[in-house]
Amino acid sequence: MSNSPPEGKQGVLERIWAWIPFRAWLTLAAVIGGVIGLGLFTFTFAQGASYFSDDPTSCVNCHIMRDQYDGWNHGSHTAVATCNDCHTPHTSMVAKYAVKGINGFRHSAAFTLGNFQEPIRITTLNYNVARGSCLYCHAAITAEMNHVGSDEPTDCLHCHARVGHLK
């Protein structure tokens, strides 16, 4: 009894292998290897692993964040909150890393292509995340301030826009 397919009924992989010439496989392997190698080099050079931590110094890997870091470092939240406490959602780990991923991609693209504003501006997504973080940490205080009959929560950042960064 044989384990090979009946004659004339080659498996899909065997037919693909036979159809594509060896040079094409070699070229494909080189391209994939080059992309992976370049990605690993860039990730290492840009200190990508640091962005998985909660260390605020990772936020100043890019020079444009220096003013925000210095403002936080001298602000009222420096002893009680890191960047991720205010700038990532508290709803779940999935939401936290989804926002970190979106921001990481956006920041990488902006800095690589050189198309970012100075001074840096907060996006609508990140504004809403920061507002949610205010409400998460200060729920006892803000519960007394929410507008009666409104579904919109209190917008702490309307009056306290500079509380986390001073500038």
Side-chain angles (χ1 to χ4, degrees):
M1 184 169 195
S2 170
N3 287 337
S4 61
E7 215 171 293
K9 294 200 176 193
Q10 283 181 308
V12 174
L13 292 177
E14 289 87 6
R15 285 188 298 214
I16 291 172
W17 181 258
W19 181 72
I20 298 176
F22 181 72
R23 281 190 202 165
W25 284 113
L26 195 58
T27 302
L28 183 63
V31 168
I32 291 172
V35 168
I36 291 171
L38 185 60
L40 288 172
F41 170 78
T42 303
F43 187 79
T44 303
F45 181 76
Q47 300 171 0
S50 69
Y51 296 105
F52 291 103
S53 75
D54 281 336
D55 183 3
T57 58
S58 64
C59 294
V60 290
N61 284 345
C62 299
H63 69 90
I64 196 168
M65 296 301 290
R66 175 54 65 183
D67 288 342
Q68 283 74 21
Y69 176 79
D70 290 342
W72 165 80
N73 205 25
H74 296 97
S76 60
H77 284 78
T78 190
V80 294
T82 64
C83 306
N84 285 325
D85 292 326
C86 298
H87 294 283
T88 59
H90 295 269
T91 53
S92 72
M93 291 297 281
V94 172
K96 175 181 180 174
Y97 283 100
V99 167
K100 285 181 86 151
I102 290 166
N103 287 333
F105 179 79
R106 249 190 58 254
H107 294 165
S108 296
F111 297 131
T112 299
L113 301 172
N115 61 351
F116 55 88
Q117 281 185 308
E118 283 197 63
I120 194 167
R121 303 272 186 241
I122 194 166
T123 64
T124 302
L125 168 69
N126 290 305
Y127 185 91
N128 290 332
V129 168
R131 182 177 68 178
S133 294
C134 295
L135 296 171
Y136 177 83
C137 291
H138 300 286
I141 296 169
T142 60
E144 301 298 321
M145 292 182 239
N146 283 332
H147 300 233
V148 177
S150 173
D151 289 336
E152 273 298 307
T154 300
D155 188 356
C156 308
L157 299 174
H158 180 74
C159 297
H160 302 281
R162 302 287 179 220
V163 75
H165 297 289
L166 292 181
K167 293 183 177 186

